[in-house]
Amino acid sequence: MTNFSRIIGTGSYLPERILTNEELAGRVDTSHDWIVERTGIYERRIAAPDQTTCDMAEIAAQRAMETAGVGADDIDLIVLATCTPDRVFPSTACLLQERLGIQGGGAFDVTAACAGFIYAFATADNFIRAGAAKRALVVGAETMSRVIDWNDRGTCILFADGAGAVVLEQSDEPGVYSTHLHADGRYKDLLAVPGWVSPDYNDQPAPSPFMTMQGNEVFRVAVGSLGDVVLEALKANGLERSDVDWLIPHQANIRIIQAIARRLRLSMEQVVTTIETQGNTSAASVPLALDTAVRDGRVKPGELLLLEAFGGGFAWGSALVRF
Ligand code: UT7
């Protein structure tokens, strides 16, 4: 018998504080119109000063478990994607495990920046396929506001905070058809938070604790790589572009999302976008978009979803899922 995994519940959380483009224009040399035109973002959410990645992950996970109808005893694996963990260690997954009263199974973080959720999702799917887990909690959660240089107009207009989660369960039928992961470390310097744990820098100035990004280069590689990896997912399963019901993309820039929709020959009505009000929440963006579209009734059981994300590393990937 072949094991597959399928999504049995989704959940998400956004912090209350709304940060508008107008407010940012008061801090750095930018404007509401420039941000909307170049990124598609109107506003974004920022965590409260005392709110952490784990705090947001906890609420998103509870909501996903509630919709899945499962309790703490039913989860035997937690994979949490974040590049803004509460601590260097223990992992945020372990902190979350304790909060949720889950015991016994494995819990670990995955770091793949904005591609983190796809990496975590692929990891959990493969655990379940291998028979090593039955029911996994997969979370993407970020407090990007803590690694942003609020004086850098190239990054502070884009990034934001939030969390999303899914519960994956062992199933006789897909569910998840396939996942596709890629990375290219030669691009390590184009998008990074270089600082914090840095034993090799003794004779150099301390590296920046804030994000650095060469936006237009990242943009160029993202469009090419994401275009390829969504078509790779379809080809691997002998499916056509017309079979896709919904594209659930990473929310980095509306122009990147539109470019991928064009490669898939999808109308924007078949693309879930949350970037307008959520900005780029890194590893949280794909599960946030998925949960948004499930809860507002757009994504329905039985539909074919194409998930994709791209981020620092570079790391990128896709997942093809029958919901
Ligand atoms: O999620 C992880 C992956 N991240 C991404 O995918 C992000 C990808 N990159 C982007 O989304 C875009 O590159 C940005 C939104 C960051 C920038 O947009 P762009 O169209 O690529 O602009 P650019 O970097 O080529 O800069 C064009 C001009 C420059 O001015 P000059 O040199 O032409 O005078 C920038 O200094 O726009 C200027 N600029 C701004 N102007 C007003 C850059 N940021 C801003 C700003 N407001 N916030």
Short mmCIF file of all heavy atoms in Angstrom, two decimals, residues 135-200:
data_model
loop_
_atom_site.label_atom_id
_atom_site.label_comp_id
_atom_site.label_asym_id
_atom_site.label_seq_id
_atom_site.Cartn_x
_atom_site.Cartn_y
_atom_site.Cartn_z
N ARG A 135 0.45 11.94 11.52
CA ARG A 135 -0.27 13.21 11.49
C ARG A 135 0.71 14.32 11.89
O ARG A 135 1.20 14.35 13.02
CB ARG A 135 -1.44 13.17 12.46
CG ARG A 135 -2.67 13.82 11.91
CD ARG A 135 -3.89 13.53 12.74
NE ARG A 135 -4.51 12.25 12.46
CZ ARG A 135 -4.53 11.21 13.30
NH1 ARG A 135 -3.95 11.30 14.46
NH2 ARG A 135 -5.12 10.10 12.96
N ALA A 136 0.97 15.22 10.96
CA ALA A 136 2.00 16.23 11.18
C ALA A 136 1.38 17.63 11.21
O ALA A 136 0.48 17.94 10.42
CB ALA A 136 3.05 16.17 10.07
N LEU A 137 1.91 18.42 12.12
CA LEU A 137 1.58 19.85 12.16
C LEU A 137 2.70 20.58 11.42
O LEU A 137 3.87 20.46 11.80
CB LEU A 137 1.50 20.28 13.62
CG LEU A 137 1.18 21.74 13.92
CD1 LEU A 137 -0.17 22.15 13.35
CD2 LEU A 137 1.21 21.96 15.43
N VAL A 138 2.34 21.31 10.37
CA VAL A 138 3.33 22.04 9.57
C VAL A 138 3.01 23.52 9.67
O VAL A 138 1.90 23.95 9.34
CB VAL A 138 3.29 21.60 8.09
CG1 VAL A 138 4.45 22.23 7.32
CG2 VAL A 138 3.35 20.08 7.98
N VAL A 139 4.00 24.29 10.14
CA VAL A 139 3.75 25.69 10.47
C VAL A 139 4.77 26.58 9.75
O VAL A 139 5.94 26.22 9.62
CB VAL A 139 3.89 25.92 12.00
CG1 VAL A 139 3.51 27.35 12.37
CG2 VAL A 139 3.04 24.93 12.78
N GLY A 140 4.31 27.75 9.30
CA GLY A 140 5.21 28.82 8.85
C GLY A 140 4.91 30.04 9.69
O GLY A 140 3.75 30.48 9.73
N ALA A 141 5.90 30.58 10.38
CA ALA A 141 5.64 31.72 11.28
C ALA A 141 6.84 32.64 11.30
O ALA A 141 7.98 32.18 11.35
CB ALA A 141 5.34 31.21 12.70
N GLU A 142 6.57 33.95 11.24
CA GLU A 142 7.68 34.90 11.15
C GLU A 142 7.37 36.23 11.86
O GLU A 142 6.26 36.74 11.76
CB GLU A 142 7.98 35.26 9.68
CG GLU A 142 8.31 34.10 8.77
CD GLU A 142 9.78 33.68 8.80
OE1 GLU A 142 10.50 34.02 9.78
OE2 GLU A 142 10.18 33.00 7.85
N THR A 143 8.39 36.77 12.51
CA THR A 143 8.38 38.17 12.94
C THR A 143 9.49 38.87 12.16
O THR A 143 10.56 39.18 12.69
CB THR A 143 8.62 38.32 14.46
OG1 THR A 143 9.56 37.33 14.87
CG2 THR A 143 7.35 38.16 15.25
N MET A 144 9.22 39.12 10.87
CA MET A 144 10.22 39.75 10.00
C MET A 144 10.53 41.17 10.46
O MET A 144 11.61 41.70 10.21
CB MET A 144 9.74 39.77 8.54
CG MET A 144 9.50 38.40 7.94
SD MET A 144 10.93 37.31 8.08
CE MET A 144 12.01 38.01 6.84
N SER A 145 9.56 41.78 11.17
CA SER A 145 9.75 43.16 11.64
C SER A 145 11.00 43.29 12.53
O SER A 145 11.56 44.37 12.64
CB SER A 145 8.52 43.65 12.40
OG SER A 145 8.25 42.80 13.50
N ARG A 146 11.43 42.16 13.12
CA ARG A 146 12.60 42.21 14.02
C ARG A 146 13.94 42.17 13.27
O ARG A 146 14.98 42.44 13.87
CB ARG A 146 12.56 41.03 15.01
CG ARG A 146 11.25 40.91 15.77
CD ARG A 146 11.28 41.59 17.12
NE ARG A 146 9.94 41.97 17.56
CZ ARG A 146 9.03 41.14 18.09
NH1 ARG A 146 9.35 39.88 18.29
NH2 ARG A 146 7.84 41.58 18.43
N VAL A 147 13.91 41.78 12.00
CA VAL A 147 15.17 41.73 11.24
C VAL A 147 15.20 42.77 10.12
O VAL A 147 16.05 42.72 9.23
CB VAL A 147 15.45 40.31 10.66
CG1 VAL A 147 15.68 39.32 11.78
CG2 VAL A 147 14.33 39.84 9.74
N ILE A 148 14.23 43.68 10.16
CA ILE A 148 14.17 44.74 9.14
C ILE A 148 14.89 45.98 9.64
O ILE A 148 14.72 46.40 10.79
CB ILE A 148 12.69 45.10 8.84
CG1 ILE A 148 12.00 43.94 8.12
CG2 ILE A 148 12.57 46.38 8.03
CD1 ILE A 148 12.63 43.59 6.80
N ASP A 149 15.69 46.57 8.75
CA ASP A 149 16.25 47.90 9.00
C ASP A 149 15.18 48.90 8.57
O ASP A 149 14.93 49.08 7.37
CB ASP A 149 17.54 48.07 8.17
CG ASP A 149 18.10 49.47 8.28
OD1 ASP A 149 17.46 50.34 8.91
OD2 ASP A 149 19.19 49.71 7.71
N TRP A 150 14.55 49.54 9.54
CA TRP A 150 13.41 50.42 9.23
C TRP A 150 13.84 51.71 8.54
O TRP A 150 13.01 52.56 8.24
CB TRP A 150 12.59 50.67 10.50
CG TRP A 150 11.87 49.42 10.88
CD1 TRP A 150 12.23 48.51 11.83
CD2 TRP A 150 10.69 48.88 10.26
NE1 TRP A 150 11.35 47.45 11.85
CE2 TRP A 150 10.39 47.66 10.90
CE3 TRP A 150 9.84 49.32 9.22
CZ2 TRP A 150 9.30 46.88 10.54
CZ3 TRP A 150 8.75 48.54 8.87
CH2 TRP A 150 8.49 47.34 9.53
N ASN A 151 15.15 51.86 8.30
CA ASN A 151 15.63 52.99 7.50
C ASN A 151 15.94 52.59 6.06
O ASN A 151 16.37 53.42 5.26
CB ASN A 151 16.90 53.59 8.13
CG ASN A 151 16.60 54.15 9.50
OD1 ASN A 151 15.64 54.89 9.68
ND2 ASN A 151 17.41 53.77 10.49
N ASP A 152 15.76 51.30 5.73
CA ASP A 152 16.08 50.81 4.39
C ASP A 152 14.79 50.69 3.58
O ASP A 152 14.01 49.75 3.75
CB ASP A 152 16.78 49.44 4.50
CG ASP A 152 17.04 48.82 3.13
OD1 ASP A 152 16.88 49.52 2.10
OD2 ASP A 152 17.39 47.62 3.10
N ARG A 153 14.57 51.63 2.66
CA ARG A 153 13.31 51.65 1.91
C ARG A 153 13.18 50.47 0.94
O ARG A 153 12.09 50.16 0.47
CB ARG A 153 13.16 52.96 1.15
CG ARG A 153 14.14 53.14 0.01
CD ARG A 153 13.87 54.43 -0.74
NE ARG A 153 14.76 54.56 -1.88
CZ ARG A 153 14.69 55.50 -2.79
NH1 ARG A 153 13.75 56.43 -2.69
NH2 ARG A 153 15.53 55.55 -3.79
N GLY A 154 14.31 49.82 0.65
CA GLY A 154 14.27 48.67 -0.27
C GLY A 154 13.68 47.42 0.37
O GLY A 154 13.26 46.49 -0.34
N THR A 155 13.67 47.36 1.71
CA THR A 155 13.13 46.16 2.37
C THR A 155 11.97 46.45 3.33
O THR A 155 11.07 45.64 3.45
CB THR A 155 14.23 45.42 3.17
OG1 THR A 155 14.88 46.37 4.04
CG2 THR A 155 15.25 44.77 2.27
N CYS A 156 12.00 47.63 3.98
CA CYS A 156 11.00 47.85 5.05
C CYS A 156 9.59 47.97 4.52
O CYS A 156 8.62 47.79 5.26
CB CYS A 156 11.37 49.06 5.91
SG CYS A 156 11.06 50.66 5.15
N ILE A 157 9.46 48.25 3.21
CA ILE A 157 8.11 48.38 2.63
C ILE A 157 7.50 47.01 2.33
O ILE A 157 6.30 46.90 2.11
CB ILE A 157 8.17 49.19 1.32
CG1 ILE A 157 9.18 48.52 0.36
CG2 ILE A 157 8.56 50.64 1.60
CD1 ILE A 157 8.90 48.79 -1.08
N LEU A 158 8.35 45.96 2.30
CA LEU A 158 7.88 44.65 1.82
C LEU A 158 7.44 43.71 2.93
O LEU A 158 6.42 43.03 2.81
CB LEU A 158 9.01 43.93 1.05
CG LEU A 158 9.46 44.51 -0.28
CD1 LEU A 158 10.67 43.74 -0.78
CD2 LEU A 158 8.34 44.41 -1.30
N PHE A 159 8.25 43.63 4.00
CA PHE A 159 8.14 42.48 4.90
C PHE A 159 7.20 42.74 6.07
O PHE A 159 6.98 43.89 6.47
CB PHE A 159 9.52 42.05 5.37
CG PHE A 159 10.33 41.44 4.25
CD1 PHE A 159 11.17 42.22 3.47
CD2 PHE A 159 10.20 40.09 3.95
CE1 PHE A 159 11.88 41.67 2.42
CE2 PHE A 159 10.90 39.54 2.90
CZ PHE A 159 11.76 40.32 2.13
N ALA A 160 6.66 41.65 6.65
CA ALA A 160 5.63 41.76 7.67
C ALA A 160 5.58 40.49 8.51
O ALA A 160 6.36 39.55 8.27
CB ALA A 160 4.28 42.01 7.00
N ASP A 161 4.65 40.46 9.46
CA ASP A 161 4.58 39.37 10.44
C ASP A 161 3.28 38.56 10.30
O ASP A 161 2.26 39.10 9.88
CB ASP A 161 4.67 39.95 11.85
CG ASP A 161 5.94 40.78 12.06
OD1 ASP A 161 6.93 40.51 11.36
OD2 ASP A 161 5.93 41.68 12.92
N GLY A 162 3.35 37.31 10.76
CA GLY A 162 2.14 36.47 10.75
C GLY A 162 2.51 35.00 10.86
O GLY A 162 3.70 34.66 10.97
N ALA A 163 1.48 34.15 10.86
CA ALA A 163 1.71 32.70 10.96
C ALA A 163 0.59 31.94 10.26
O ALA A 163 -0.55 32.40 10.22
CB ALA A 163 1.76 32.28 12.43
N GLY A 164 0.95 30.79 9.70
CA GLY A 164 -0.04 29.91 9.08
C GLY A 164 0.33 28.47 9.37
O GLY A 164 1.51 28.17 9.65
N ALA A 165 -0.66 27.58 9.33
CA ALA A 165 -0.38 26.18 9.66
C ALA A 165 -1.33 25.25 8.91
O ALA A 165 -2.43 25.66 8.53
CB ALA A 165 -0.55 25.97 11.17
N VAL A 166 -0.87 24.03 8.69
CA VAL A 166 -1.75 22.98 8.18
C VAL A 166 -1.50 21.72 8.99
O VAL A 166 -0.43 21.53 9.57
CB VAL A 166 -1.52 22.66 6.67
CG1 VAL A 166 -1.67 23.90 5.81
CG2 VAL A 166 -0.18 22.00 6.42
N VAL A 167 -2.52 20.85 9.02
CA VAL A 167 -2.33 19.50 9.56
C VAL A 167 -2.35 18.55 8.37
O VAL A 167 -3.27 18.59 7.55
CB VAL A 167 -3.45 19.13 10.56
CG1 VAL A 167 -3.24 17.70 11.06
CG2 VAL A 167 -3.46 20.11 11.72
N LEU A 168 -1.29 17.74 8.27
CA LEU A 168 -1.20 16.72 7.22
C LEU A 168 -1.45 15.36 7.85
O LEU A 168 -0.89 15.06 8.91
CB LEU A 168 0.21 16.72 6.61
CG LEU A 168 0.55 17.71 5.50
CD1 LEU A 168 2.01 17.51 5.07
CD2 LEU A 168 -0.38 17.54 4.30
N GLU A 169 -2.23 14.53 7.17
CA GLU A 169 -2.55 13.21 7.72
C GLU A 169 -2.27 12.12 6.69
O GLU A 169 -2.47 12.35 5.48
CB GLU A 169 -4.04 13.18 8.12
CG GLU A 169 -4.47 11.87 8.77
CD GLU A 169 -5.94 11.93 9.17
OE1 GLU A 169 -6.80 11.95 8.26
OE2 GLU A 169 -6.23 11.97 10.37
N GLN A 170 -1.87 10.97 7.17
CA GLN A 170 -1.64 9.82 6.28
C GLN A 170 -2.95 9.47 5.55
O GLN A 170 -4.02 9.52 6.14
CB GLN A 170 -1.15 8.63 7.13
CG GLN A 170 -0.61 7.47 6.32
CD GLN A 170 -1.71 6.50 5.89
OE1 GLN A 170 -2.64 6.28 6.63
NE2 GLN A 170 -1.56 5.97 4.69
N SER A 171 -2.82 9.14 4.27
CA SER A 171 -4.01 8.87 3.45
C SER A 171 -3.66 7.82 2.40
O SER A 171 -2.52 7.71 1.96
CB SER A 171 -4.44 10.18 2.77
OG SER A 171 -5.32 9.95 1.73
N ASP A 172 -4.67 7.05 1.99
CA ASP A 172 -4.43 6.05 0.93
C ASP A 172 -4.32 6.69 -0.44
O ASP A 172 -3.78 6.11 -1.37
CB ASP A 172 -5.57 5.01 0.92
CG ASP A 172 -5.57 4.18 2.19
OD1 ASP A 172 -4.51 4.13 2.85
OD2 ASP A 172 -6.62 3.61 2.53
N GLU A 173 -4.90 7.89 -0.57
CA GLU A 173 -4.87 8.59 -1.87
C GLU A 173 -4.32 10.00 -1.67
O GLU A 173 -4.49 10.59 -0.61
CB GLU A 173 -6.30 8.73 -2.40
CG GLU A 173 -6.90 7.41 -2.84
CD GLU A 173 -8.37 7.57 -3.20
OE1 GLU A 173 -8.83 8.72 -3.36
OE2 GLU A 173 -9.03 6.54 -3.31
N PRO A 174 -3.70 10.58 -2.73
CA PRO A 174 -3.25 11.98 -2.60
C PRO A 174 -4.48 12.91 -2.60
O PRO A 174 -5.39 12.66 -3.38
CB PRO A 174 -2.40 12.20 -3.87
CG PRO A 174 -2.70 11.07 -4.79
CD PRO A 174 -3.39 9.99 -4.02
N GLY A 175 -4.55 13.93 -1.77
CA GLY A 175 -3.50 14.62 -1.09
C GLY A 175 -2.37 15.21 -1.92
O GLY A 175 -2.59 15.77 -2.99
N VAL A 176 -1.26 15.14 -1.32
CA VAL A 176 -0.06 15.75 -1.90
C VAL A 176 0.44 14.82 -3.01
O VAL A 176 0.82 13.68 -2.75
CB VAL A 176 1.02 15.96 -0.83
CG1 VAL A 176 2.25 16.62 -1.45
CG2 VAL A 176 0.49 16.79 0.34
N TYR A 177 0.44 15.31 -4.25
CA TYR A 177 0.95 14.51 -5.37
C TYR A 177 2.47 14.49 -5.34
O TYR A 177 3.09 13.44 -5.48
CB TYR A 177 0.49 15.09 -6.71
CG TYR A 177 -0.96 14.83 -7.03
CD1 TYR A 177 -1.89 15.85 -7.04
CD2 TYR A 177 -1.39 13.55 -7.35
CE1 TYR A 177 -3.22 15.62 -7.35
CE2 TYR A 177 -2.72 13.29 -7.66
CZ TYR A 177 -3.62 14.34 -7.66
OH TYR A 177 -4.94 14.10 -7.96
N SER A 178 3.06 15.68 -5.21
CA SER A 178 4.53 15.73 -5.20
C SER A 178 4.99 17.08 -4.69
O SER A 178 4.23 18.05 -4.69
CB SER A 178 5.11 15.51 -6.62
OG SER A 178 4.70 16.55 -7.48
N THR A 179 6.25 17.10 -4.23
CA THR A 179 6.88 18.35 -3.81
C THR A 179 8.23 18.44 -4.53
O THR A 179 8.84 17.40 -4.84
CB THR A 179 7.10 18.40 -2.28
OG1 THR A 179 7.88 17.27 -1.90
CG2 THR A 179 5.78 18.41 -1.53
N HIS A 180 8.69 19.65 -4.79
CA HIS A 180 9.91 19.86 -5.57
C HIS A 180 10.74 20.96 -4.94
O HIS A 180 10.28 22.10 -4.87
CB HIS A 180 9.54 20.23 -7.02
CG HIS A 180 8.63 19.22 -7.64
ND1 HIS A 180 9.10 18.16 -8.36
CD2 HIS A 180 7.28 19.08 -7.57
CE1 HIS A 180 8.07 17.40 -8.74
NE2 HIS A 180 6.96 17.94 -8.28
N LEU A 181 11.91 20.61 -4.43
CA LEU A 181 12.76 21.57 -3.74
C LEU A 181 14.04 21.83 -4.52
O LEU A 181 14.61 20.91 -5.11
CB LEU A 181 13.15 21.04 -2.35
CG LEU A 181 12.01 20.71 -1.40
CD1 LEU A 181 12.55 20.26 -0.05
CD2 LEU A 181 11.06 21.89 -1.24
N HIS A 182 14.47 23.09 -4.50
CA HIS A 182 15.74 23.47 -5.14
C HIS A 182 16.44 24.53 -4.30
O HIS A 182 15.79 25.25 -3.54
CB HIS A 182 15.49 24.06 -6.54
CG HIS A 182 14.84 23.09 -7.47
ND1 HIS A 182 15.55 22.09 -8.10
CD2 HIS A 182 13.56 22.94 -7.84
CE1 HIS A 182 14.72 21.38 -8.84
NE2 HIS A 182 13.51 21.87 -8.70
N ALA A 183 17.75 24.61 -4.46
CA ALA A 183 18.53 25.66 -3.79
C ALA A 183 19.77 25.97 -4.61
O ALA A 183 20.24 25.13 -5.39
CB ALA A 183 18.93 25.22 -2.38
N ASP A 184 20.27 27.18 -4.45
CA ASP A 184 21.52 27.57 -5.10
C ASP A 184 22.26 28.56 -4.20
O ASP A 184 21.99 29.76 -4.22
CB ASP A 184 21.25 28.19 -6.47
CG ASP A 184 22.53 28.34 -7.29
OD1 ASP A 184 23.62 28.38 -6.67
OD2 ASP A 184 22.45 28.41 -8.53
N GLY A 185 23.20 28.01 -3.41
CA GLY A 185 23.93 28.80 -2.44
C GLY A 185 24.86 29.84 -3.03
O GLY A 185 25.37 30.71 -2.30
N ARG A 186 25.06 29.79 -4.34
CA ARG A 186 25.91 30.83 -4.96
C ARG A 186 25.28 32.21 -4.84
O ARG A 186 25.94 33.22 -4.97
CB ARG A 186 26.16 30.49 -6.44
CG ARG A 186 27.11 29.32 -6.63
CD ARG A 186 27.20 28.91 -8.07
NE ARG A 186 25.91 28.44 -8.57
CZ ARG A 186 25.67 28.08 -9.82
NH1 ARG A 186 26.63 28.11 -10.71
NH2 ARG A 186 24.48 27.66 -10.19
N TYR A 187 23.96 32.23 -4.57
CA TYR A 187 23.25 33.51 -4.43
C TYR A 187 23.15 33.96 -2.97
O TYR A 187 22.31 34.79 -2.63
CB TYR A 187 21.85 33.40 -5.01
CG TYR A 187 21.80 33.23 -6.51
CD1 TYR A 187 21.48 32.01 -7.08
CD2 TYR A 187 22.05 34.32 -7.34
CE1 TYR A 187 21.41 31.87 -8.46
CE2 TYR A 187 21.99 34.18 -8.71
CZ TYR A 187 21.67 32.96 -9.27
OH TYR A 187 21.61 32.83 -10.63
N LYS A 188 24.01 33.41 -2.11
CA LYS A 188 23.86 33.63 -0.66
C LYS A 188 23.89 35.10 -0.25
O LYS A 188 23.31 35.47 0.77
CB LYS A 188 24.95 32.86 0.11
CG LYS A 188 26.36 33.36 -0.17
CD LYS A 188 27.38 32.47 0.51
CE LYS A 188 28.78 33.04 0.40
NZ LYS A 188 29.25 33.26 -0.99
N ASP A 189 24.57 35.94 -1.03
CA ASP A 189 24.73 37.34 -0.61
C ASP A 189 23.64 38.29 -1.12
O ASP A 189 23.60 39.44 -0.72
CB ASP A 189 26.10 37.87 -1.07
CG ASP A 189 27.23 37.14 -0.36
OD1 ASP A 189 27.04 36.78 0.83
OD2 ASP A 189 28.28 36.90 -0.99
N LEU A 190 22.77 37.80 -1.99
CA LEU A 190 21.77 38.71 -2.58
C LEU A 190 20.59 38.97 -1.65
O LEU A 190 19.88 39.97 -1.80
CB LEU A 190 21.25 38.15 -3.91
CG LEU A 190 22.23 38.11 -5.07
CD1 LEU A 190 21.51 37.78 -6.36
CD2 LEU A 190 22.97 39.43 -5.21
N LEU A 191 20.37 38.07 -0.71
CA LEU A 191 19.24 38.21 0.22
C LEU A 191 19.66 37.50 1.50
O LEU A 191 19.82 36.27 1.48
CB LEU A 191 17.99 37.58 -0.41
CG LEU A 191 16.71 37.51 0.42
CD1 LEU A 191 16.32 38.86 0.97
CD2 LEU A 191 15.57 36.95 -0.44
N ALA A 192 19.86 38.26 2.57
CA ALA A 192 20.44 37.64 3.77
C ALA A 192 20.17 38.47 5.02
O ALA A 192 19.91 39.67 4.94
CB ALA A 192 21.95 37.49 3.59
N VAL A 193 20.22 37.79 6.16
CA VAL A 193 20.41 38.46 7.45
C VAL A 193 21.77 37.96 7.92
O VAL A 193 21.87 36.87 8.48
CB VAL A 193 19.30 38.11 8.47
CG1 VAL A 193 19.57 38.79 9.81
CG2 VAL A 193 17.94 38.53 7.93
N PRO A 194 22.84 38.70 7.65
CA PRO A 194 24.19 38.14 7.81
C PRO A 194 24.64 37.95 9.26
O PRO A 194 25.60 37.25 9.51
CB PRO A 194 25.10 39.16 7.12
CG PRO A 194 24.19 40.12 6.41
CD PRO A 194 22.86 40.06 7.08
N GLY A 195 23.97 38.55 10.21
CA GLY A 195 24.54 38.66 11.55
C GLY A 195 24.18 37.61 12.56
O GLY A 195 23.70 36.54 12.24
N TRP A 196 24.38 37.95 13.82
CA TRP A 196 24.02 37.20 15.03
C TRP A 196 25.01 36.12 15.44
O TRP A 196 25.81 36.35 16.32
CB TRP A 196 22.60 36.66 14.96
CG TRP A 196 21.58 37.76 15.07
CD1 TRP A 196 21.83 39.06 15.36
CD2 TRP A 196 20.17 37.67 14.92
NE1 TRP A 196 20.67 39.78 15.39
CE2 TRP A 196 19.62 38.94 15.12
CE3 TRP A 196 19.31 36.61 14.60
CZ2 TRP A 196 18.27 39.20 15.03
CZ3 TRP A 196 17.96 36.86 14.52
CH2 TRP A 196 17.44 38.15 14.74
N VAL A 197 24.96 34.94 14.84
CA VAL A 197 25.87 33.87 15.27
C VAL A 197 27.04 33.88 14.30
O VAL A 197 26.95 33.35 13.22
CB VAL A 197 25.17 32.50 15.24
CG1 VAL A 197 26.10 31.42 15.77
CG2 VAL A 197 23.90 32.57 16.06
N SER A 198 28.16 34.52 14.72
CA SER A 198 29.17 34.83 13.72
C SER A 198 30.59 34.63 14.25
O SER A 198 31.35 35.58 14.35
CB SER A 198 28.99 36.27 13.26
OG SER A 198 28.90 37.12 14.39
N PRO A 199 30.97 33.41 14.60
CA PRO A 199 32.29 33.19 15.18
C PRO A 199 33.45 33.47 14.23
O PRO A 199 34.58 33.66 14.68
CB PRO A 199 32.26 31.70 15.57
CG PRO A 199 31.24 31.10 14.65
CD PRO A 199 30.22 32.17 14.41
N ASP A 200 33.19 33.52 12.93
CA ASP A 200 34.28 33.65 11.96
C ASP A 200 34.63 35.09 11.65
O ASP A 200 35.45 35.37 10.78
CB ASP A 200 33.90 32.96 10.64
CG ASP A 200 33.70 31.48 10.86
OD1 ASP A 200 34.38 30.93 11.74
OD2 ASP A 200 32.86 30.91 10.16
#
